[in-house]
Amino acid sequence: MHTAFFLLLGASVARFLLRHPGEPRTPWVIALSIALALLYVLGPAVSATSTPTPRRRLWLLLVVATWVVLVVLAPSFAWCAVPLFFTALRTLPPRAAIVLVALLTLFVVAAQAKLSTEFDPNLLLAPPAVAALATAVFVHMERQAAAQRALIDDLIRTRRELAATERREGTLAERQRLSMEIHDTLAQHLSSQQMLLQAADRTWDTDPTTARAHVRTANGIAARGLAEARRLVHDLAPPELENGAGLAEALRALDAGPDIEVRFHLEGTPTHLPDRTESALLRIAQGALANVREHSGARTAALTLSFLGDQVVLDIADDGDGFTEPRENDPESDRGHGLPAMRARVRQLGGTLTIESTPGEGTVLSASIPLEPAG
C-alpha cells in the first residue's frame, strides 16, 4: 500500500505537469504534493503500531485534509485515495473508518466528474466498487489475523499447560523415587538400629557382651545410613556443580534464552564455599533468570558474584520493565513460587534477600549469605 500510494502520487504529479505546465496553481500543487508525501512518511514515526491513538488520528486528519486541498486544485490526484482507504480502516474504529471511506469515495466521484466533459457511468460506479473491494479485503484480512492470533494464543496456552503437566509429573516421579530411596535405605537402617538398641537395652544387665555387640552392629548400620544420606544429598545437588565445577563457572554458563544477553562478573578473591551455599546461590540465579525471561521483557541481564570477606553476595540485575515493589508484609508480595523459594534458601543459610525495582528501569535482586554460620 505504501508503494502504491507513492506511485499514484508520482503519476498524478507527472500528469499534472504534462497537461498544465506554467499555470499559477502549479507551485501550490507541487508544494502540497511534497507536503502530502512527507506527512505520509511520518506515519510510522507518529506511532509504531496501527492501533487507534490520538496522535495517529491527528496524523490521518492532516493527511486527508492535505489530499482534499490537493484534489480541489488538481482532480487527477483523486486516485491517491485508494491507499488512504486502507490507512483509514487501520487507524479508525470500524464505523468511523467506513464513514470516512464513504466520504473519500464521494469526493473521488466528484473530482472525476469535474475532469470529465460528458456523463460517464464508470465515474459513478468505479470509485464505489474500488472502495467496497478495499473494505472487503481489509475486513477479511483482519478476520484472518484475529483467527490466527487466537490460534497462536491457544497453542501457547496449550504448550504452557503441557509444560506444567510435565513438570508436575516429573516432580511426582522424583518424589516417588526419593520416597523409595529413603524407605529402602535410611528408614530400614533406622529401623534396624532401633531394634538392635532395644535388644541391647533389654540384655544390658543380664548379658553385657551381647548388648555391646548389638551396639557395635547398630553403630555400623548408622555409618552405612550416613553414607546413604550423603549419597542422596549428592544426587540432589545441582548437576552444574558436579565434577568439581565451581560456582563461578556454573554461573558463567547460565543463560536466559536466545533473546536475552547474560553477562557474568566476579569481584573479590574467590574462597571455598560450602556445598549448601553454592547450591543455594546457583538455584537462586536460575530462578531469577527464569523470572527475567518470563516476566521482565529485558534484553540484558548481569550476574555479579562478590566475595566480601565475611560474606558472599550474588546480584542479578536486568534492564526490563520492572515493577512496583510491594509493601512489607503485603499478602500480594512473593506471588508464585520463585521468590518464596529464594527467600527460604537464603533464610536457611542465615542470609538476606533484597529486591529493588522501579517500573521502566529494571530490577536488581541481591542475595547475601554470611560465610560463617549465623548465631
Side-chain angles (χ1 to χ4, degrees), residues 17 20 50 60 85 106 111 132 152 175 210 217 240 244 253 280 304 361:
L17 293 178
H20 308 280
S50 59
L60 178 62
F85 292 162
L106 291 176
I152 292 173
R175 287 179 178 176
T210 302
T217 304
E240 294 85 351
T304 304
E361 297 183 9

Side-chain angles (χ1 to χ4, degrees), residues 291 323-344 347 353-355 365:
N291 288 339
F323 57 91
T324 302
E325 296 182 56
R327 297 186 301 271
E328 189 174 1
N329 299 325
D330 188 346
E332 286 299 310
S333 65
D334 287 358
R335 290 179 294 178
H337 302 285
L339 288 178
M342 296 179 197
R343 294 190 189 279
R347 193 180 304 116
L353 182 75
T354 59
I355 301 173
L365 182 146

Side-chain angles (χ1 to χ4, degrees), residues 119-201:
F119 176 75
D120 186 353
N122 287 330
L123 299 179
L124 296 178
L125 299 177
V130 172
L133 178 63
T135 303
V137 168
F138 178 83
V139 170
H140 179 68
M141 290 170 57
E142 284 294 300
R143 289 177 178 175
Q144 282 190 326
Q148 188 178 31
R149 287 193 295 268
L151 178 60
I152 292 173
D153 291 340
D154 289 341
L155 290 175
I156 293 176
R157 183 167 56 253
T158 302
R159 186 177 64 181
R160 289 176 177 172
E161 291 174 355
L162 287 175
T165 302
E166 291 177 355
R167 285 195 297 270
R168 286 194 298 269
E169 292 178 351
T171 302
L172 292 175
E174 183 64 11
R175 287 179 178 176
Q176 184 178 9
R177 185 187 72 81
L178 288 175
S179 66
M180 291 188 296
E181 287 274 355
I182 293 172
H183 176 269
D184 295 340
T185 56
L186 298 181
Q188 294 292 342
H189 292 157
L190 291 173
S191 178
S192 299
Q193 292 174 54
Q194 183 182 29
M195 294 175 59
L196 289 168
L197 292 175
Q198 288 175 348
D201 181 64

Side-chain angles (χ1 to χ4, degrees), residues 240-241 244-254 264 266 271 273-274 277-283 285 305 307 312-314:
E240 294 85 351
L241 296 175
L247 177 61
E249 288 76 9
L251 293 175
R252 197 187 306 275
L254 294 180
F264 174 74
L266 179 63
T271 59
L273 298 176
T277 301
E278 287 190 342
S279 177
L281 289 176
L282 180 60
R283 293 306 190 201
L305 181 65
F307 291 86
V312 58
V313 179
L314 175 64

Side-chain angles (χ1 to χ4, degrees), residues 8-18 29-30 33 70 76-77:
L8 291 172
L9 182 62
S12 300
V13 172
R15 182 180 186 276
F16 178 82
L17 293 178
L18 290 174
V29 170
I30 294 176
S33 300
L70 189 58
S76 59
F77 285 84

